[in-house]
Amino acid sequence: MYQYIKAILSLFLDLIPERKTYNDDYIKELDRHTRIIQVPGSIIGVFAMLGFAFDTDAKLHPEFPELFYFRIGYSLFCFSYLVFFVYNHLKNKFSNLEGLTWAYLTYAYLLFTAAYYTGRIADDAPYVSGYQMLVMILPFLPLPRKTLFIYYPISILIFFVSVIVYKPDLTTAAANYSMQNLAISYVLGIFTGLIMERYRFHSFLNHKRIIKKNEEVTKTVEEIQALKSQQDGDYFLTSLLLEPLLGRETDGNAVTIDTVINQYKKFKFRNKEYQLGGDYVSVYNLILQGKRYKAFINGDAMGKSIQGAGGAIVLGAVYNSIVIRSKMDPTSSNRSPERWLHDCYLDLQKIFETFDGAMLVSAVIGLLEESTGTLYFINLEHPWVILYRDGKARFIEDEIHYYKLGVMEVPTNRFISVFQMQKGDKIICGSDGKDDLVISESGKYRDINEDQNLILCCLEESDGDLEKVISVLKSKGKFSDDLSLISLEYKLGSFSKPGVCWKEAKEFIKLKQYSKALDVLLSYNSALEISITELKYITRLYEKEGVLLKAMEYASLALENFPSDTRWMFHTSVLYKRLYSNYKSKSFLEESQELSERVRLRQPSNIGNLIHLADVCRLSGDKDRFVYLLKQIEILEPNNSKLMELKEKT
């Protein structure tokens, strides 16, 4: 119970570690804010009370002449501060009495004296209303929140002591009404103060984080901008920065990788020719959840030569850090390929957002699983990914669902594209330099190629060889932009086809003799001989017989060998949930949620999966995720019957 109450108080009072870390800086920021308002505030304070002192108070409360001195005292206090301020600034002195100290003293004088004289004449509702205004001012002052818990109790104590000593008549309806409003103003003051202070602190914290992040990125950009003032030597230094960021881990027999970078800017330095531009290609070996992948990226940063190179350097530096972290951090390497790509995109996007649209990058980010040939990728407004199979080239996409890195509007319906490669397939990604060919020039005008299918013809003409493609493209026209290409050829054998037992098993299945069909399918000498189709049928047959543990074993084996089958992934996730229903093991729920989350990253609008995932989150006790998913389902299908059932279970 104590821990529960402590957690609630911690959440309510926003007791986050950053408050201790940045406390001194936060106080300095508040001091800066109060210094901005101290002069106009003091000027207002000089004249604010004079009307009450010389006119209103004398008419309404002639029996209380001391009110005049409270009013005049405040005016003199503010006036003396103005004199003090002018004197210090003429002498170029800095005083600690300015800023927060001034705010503490000024508001303390106002609140405490008002508490005293309002308590003395508490039967006068208008004066109580004026005191309520003073109480409500505190939340809007740039003061630390501890001021709420110090000033309010003191003022309440002074008010009550004054009421007890002077005994104003509080039995009237008007007095009762004003006292209730005063109590409400204190309650509202506390809550408003905490809310305002939380907003003020988090604005400061976000500003601090942005400054820190911008300092890191700006440092890199400043280095690049400094290189702009130099010529070939500066370009050379920039190319030296970009070169080590180009990953080329192309070992292994499963995938053959070729890359080409032909930057538009060519220059000579010390009698050697170099190139500089905004295109970026990188390939790394990566292990996720125990499986080997080729992690690749092909990017095209906005701008020519050194401007584009700046974007490519930032892209390469951030992407390399993501890959290195994934290699060294067990938690990071334990993510699914879909989650890794999604997180990679968000990390890159957050960095490029700090440039406020001044640096945009199109890219294809992908993972190719070596054991199965499953390709996962995200296309960020880059030219479409090309498949070269059996001498023919075609696009495997027809839409772009993401904006460039750095565009401030991040799409909410994000998803990961999945494609199953076969033996001998080549996946080719390339920047728009392969398309933007100058076909002809006449005077000031240039005829730029607008046929996006031209690259397909060039690939077929060059048999999918990247070096030959460059030559073929040159024969079609002149390059007008940076050009980069990456080719990934899958070399392993295709998946095994249904074996000798398949026909016999199908006959038993047609006759609904499921036990015999299962015995036939299990008669192979090794599980390696069983095709994916047969593994799926074994799973379903075990499900029909109610042997769910065995069904899960074969379902997982089929999914491991053919992870691109999203429908089967969903089926396996549902199977894990059924196992949980039987055995109540949390590990089954965790596996079910993991697979369902992967399906959601591939198909974010799959209602069936969203409903299933929401139910899994409900069973696992993840209430926040459950509520979030219900909202997503309601947006897609507000009248879904399953949605109504889930809502009833909340």
Side-chain angles (χ1 to χ4, degrees):
M1 185 65 181
Y2 170 75
Q3 294 295 332
Y4 182 70
I5 295 173
K6 183 179 178 182
I8 293 176
L9 286 175
S10 177
L11 183 64
F12 178 71
L13 296 175
D14 194 34
L15 300 178
I16 57 177
E18 286 84 352
R19 284 194 175 273
K20 289 184 179 180
T21 305
Y22 295 106
N23 183 64
D24 293 341
D25 291 340
Y26 181 50
I27 295 299
K28 289 178 182 178
E29 182 70 7
L30 293 179
D31 186 77
R32 185 180 68 83
H33 288 174
T34 52
R35 287 176 184 274
I36 294 172
I37 65 173
Q38 61 190 2
V39 172
S42 296
I43 293 173
I44 293 171
V46 170
F47 300 101
M49 299 295 181
L50 295 181
F52 293 99
F54 290 102
D55 184 37
T56 308
D57 292 337
K59 291 178 180 178
L60 295 178
H61 290 283
E63 81 286 356
F64 189 12
E66 292 89 344
L67 268 174
F68 175 82
Y69 300 109
F70 289 127
R71 309 289 195 185
I72 294 298
Y74 183 69
S75 296
L76 291 174
F77 178 82
C78 292
F79 180 76
S80 62
Y81 171 76
L82 287 173
V83 174
F84 172 76
F85 175 83
V86 172
Y87 174 80
N88 276 343
H89 283 262
L90 288 175
K91 296 290 186 179
N92 290 323
K93 292 182 178 180
F94 180 86
S95 174
N96 290 330
L97 293 177
E98 300 176 32
L100 279 177
T101 305
W102 166 83
Y104 290 142
L105 294 174
T106 304
Y107 187 72
Y109 183 96
L110 266 178
L111 186 64
F112 298 156
T113 57
Y116 166 72
Y117 66 68
T118 305
R120 181 170 175 176
I121 54 175
D123 51 351
D124 189 335
Y127 275 80
V128 176
S129 297
Y131 181 56
Q132 292 171 24
M133 291 175 58
L134 288 178
V135 171
M136 290 302 296
I137 286 174
L138 181 55
F140 300 96
L141 294 176
L143 299 174
R145 62 179 177 177
K146 64 181 180 182
T147 314
L148 287 169
F149 303 107
I150 296 174
Y151 279 26
Y152 276 177
I154 294 175
S155 65
I156 292 171
L157 178 63
I158 293 172
F159 181 83
F160 276 116
V161 170
S162 181
V163 169
I164 293 169
V165 171
Y166 294 102
K167 298 181 176 58
D169 184 11
L170 301 180
T171 59
T172 64
N176 285 331
Y177 183 79
S178 61
M179 288 302 103
Q180 291 175 24
N181 283 343
L182 180 59
I184 291 173
S185 68
Y186 269 110
V187 173
L188 288 177
I190 291 173
F191 280 94
T192 305
L194 290 174
I195 292 170
M196 291 293 295
E197 196 279 338
R198 175 180 291 203
Y199 171 78
R200 194 179 293 124
F201 177 76
H202 281 275
S203 296
F204 159 79
L205 187 59
N206 289 336
H207 180 66
K208 201 78 176 175
R209 288 170 176 167
I210 290 170
I211 289 175
K212 187 176 180 181
K213 184 67 70 176
N214 283 344
E215 284 176 353
E216 296 173 0
V217 178
T218 303
K219 185 177 179 181
T220 303
V221 175
E222 285 175 352
E223 291 175 358
I224 297 171
Q225 294 301 324
L227 297 175
K228 273 190 174 182
S229 61
Q230 304 175 32
Q231 296 181 353
D232 291 345
D234 299 331
Y235 291 142
F236 172 70
L237 292 176
T238 306
S239 66
L240 289 182
L241 290 174
L242 183 58
E243 183 64 26
L245 299 176
L246 303 173
R248 295 189 180 90
E249 294 181 355
T250 58
D251 58 307
N253 299 320
V255 183
T256 299
I257 299 172
D258 292 319
T259 60
V260 170
I261 294 185
N262 182 25
Q263 308 284 20
Y264 184 73
K265 175 65 179 179
K266 304 291 193 299
F267 64 95
K268 286 188 176 181
F269 183 74
R270 294 181 180 175
N271 298 322
K272 289 185 179 180
E273 187 174 273
Y274 299 92
Q275 59 180 0
L276 186 69
D279 276 18
Y280 178 78
V281 172
S282 187
V283 186
Y284 284 100
N285 295 321
L286 193 62
I287 296 178
L288 298 175
Q289 296 181 334
K291 293 186 176 182
R292 284 177 56 88
Y293 293 85
K294 293 297 184 187
F296 65 92
I297 184 172
N298 175 216
D300 181 5
M302 180 182 70
K304 303 288 186 181
S305 61
I306 201 164
Q307 181 187 1
I313 288 173
V314 175
L315 177 66
V318 178
Y319 181 75
N320 281 12
S321 68
I322 293 170
V323 172
I324 292 170
R325 181 180 64 202
S326 299
K327 289 185 175 185
M328 300 182 66
D329 179 19
T331 302
S332 183
S333 64
N334 197 36
R335 289 175 292 176
S336 66
E338 294 91 347
R339 175 57 60 186
W340 188 91
L341 280 175
H342 182 264
D343 293 346
C344 178
Y345 161 71
L346 291 180
D347 288 345
L348 290 168
Q349 173 65 15
K350 287 176 184 176
I351 293 299
F352 280 95
E353 277 182 356
T354 60
F355 293 99
D356 197 23
M359 186 178 288
L360 304 178
V361 176
S362 70
V364 170
I365 311 169
L367 291 169
L368 177 56
E369 187 179 336
E370 294 187 13
S371 60
T372 64
T374 305
L375 175 70
Y376 307 83
F377 67 94
I378 297 175
N379 190 323
L380 308 170
E381 258 190 286
H382 207 59
W384 291 339
V385 177
I386 301 169
L387 169 67
Y388 181 78
R389 174 184 288 174
D390 299 330
K392 297 293 182 181
R394 65 178 178 89
F395 298 114
I396 63 172
E397 307 173 83
D398 55 10
E399 287 184 81
I400 298 296
H401 301 276
Y402 287 80
Y403 304 120
K404 288 182 173 68
L405 291 171
V407 175
M408 301 305 289
E409 184 180 353
V410 178
T412 55
N413 205 24
R414 302 185 292 269
F415 72 95
I416 309 300
S417 299
V418 182
F419 181 79
Q420 182 60 54
M421 296 183 68
Q422 300 176 8
K423 183 179 181 181
D425 282 357
K426 283 187 179 181
I427 289 294
I428 298 160
C429 307
S431 64
D432 55 9
K434 69 183 187 308
D435 303 311
D436 298 338
L437 298 176
V438 180
I439 299 175
S440 64
E441 290 183 282
S442 57
K444 297 180 180 179
Y445 302 99
R446 300 190 302 173
D447 185 11
I448 304 294
N449 170 57
E450 295 181 357
D451 181 11
Q452 65 176 357
N453 294 319
L454 177 64
I455 183 63
L456 302 181
C457 299
C458 294
L459 280 168
E460 292 175 2
E461 189 176 336
S462 59
D463 298 324
D465 185 275
L466 293 194
E467 292 296 333
K468 293 180 181 178
V469 167
I470 299 298
S471 301
V472 174
L473 286 172
K474 286 180 178 179
S475 68
K476 305 290 184 182
K478 180 182 176 183
F479 294 128
S480 63
D481 199 357
D482 302 328
L483 168 64
S484 58
L485 293 167
I486 178 172
S487 168
L488 299 96
E489 181 180 5
Y490 189 59
K491 306 289 286 185
L492 294 185
S494 58
F495 299 106
S496 60
K497 296 180 180 179
V500 294
C501 302
W502 176 235
K503 288 184 179 180
E504 184 181 354
K506 283 180 68 177
E507 294 299 322
F508 282 124
I509 291 172
K510 288 180 182 179
L511 297 172
K512 296 186 179 181
Q513 297 179 7
Y514 302 124
S515 296
K516 290 184 178 180
L518 185 58
D519 291 338
V520 170
L521 290 173
L522 293 174
S523 63
Y524 288 102
N525 295 325
S526 169
L528 297 176
E529 298 178 16
I530 307 176
S531 68
I532 292 168
T533 302
E534 290 168 316
L535 287 172
K536 291 179 180 179
Y537 267 90
I538 291 172
T539 301
R540 295 187 185 277
L541 291 170
Y542 269 127
E543 287 183 71
K544 285 183 178 293
E545 295 196 351
V547 187
L548 296 185
L549 283 174
K550 277 291 184 182
M552 179 269 292
E553 179 183 337
Y554 282 92
S556 299
L557 187 58
L559 186 61
E560 184 176 349
N561 287 302
F562 196 53
S564 60
D565 190 339
T566 306
R567 292 180 63 184
W568 188 252
M569 184 175 286
F570 173 68
H571 181 86
T572 308
S573 177
V574 173
L575 180 57
Y576 271 113
K577 191 175 81 167
R578 291 176 62 192
L579 282 168
Y580 170 77
S581 299
N582 288 351
Y583 298 99
K584 303 302 179 185
S585 172
K586 285 287 185 181
S587 62
F588 291 136
L589 267 188
E590 291 170 0
E591 290 292 340
S592 180
Q593 183 170 354
E594 166 73 7
L595 292 176
S596 187
E597 291 284 6
R598 292 180 65 181
V599 173
R600 182 173 181 268
L601 285 172
R602 298 183 187 186
Q603 300 176 349
S605 300
N606 186 327
I607 291 294
N609 180 65
L610 288 175
I611 290 170
H612 164 67
L613 179 56
D615 195 38
V616 171
C617 292
R618 179 186 65 83
L619 293 171
S620 64
D622 192 348
K623 187 175 181 180
D624 292 340
R625 185 68 172 161
F626 173 65
V627 172
Y628 170 78
L629 290 168
L630 287 186
K631 291 179 180 177
Q632 297 301 306
I633 297 168
E634 193 166 13
I635 291 171
L636 295 170
E637 285 191 18
N639 298 320
N640 189 287
S641 59
K642 295 291 185 180
L643 173 63
M644 306 304 174
E645 293 178 14
L646 285 174
K647 283 186 173 180
E648 291 175 0
K649 295 178 181 180
T650 56

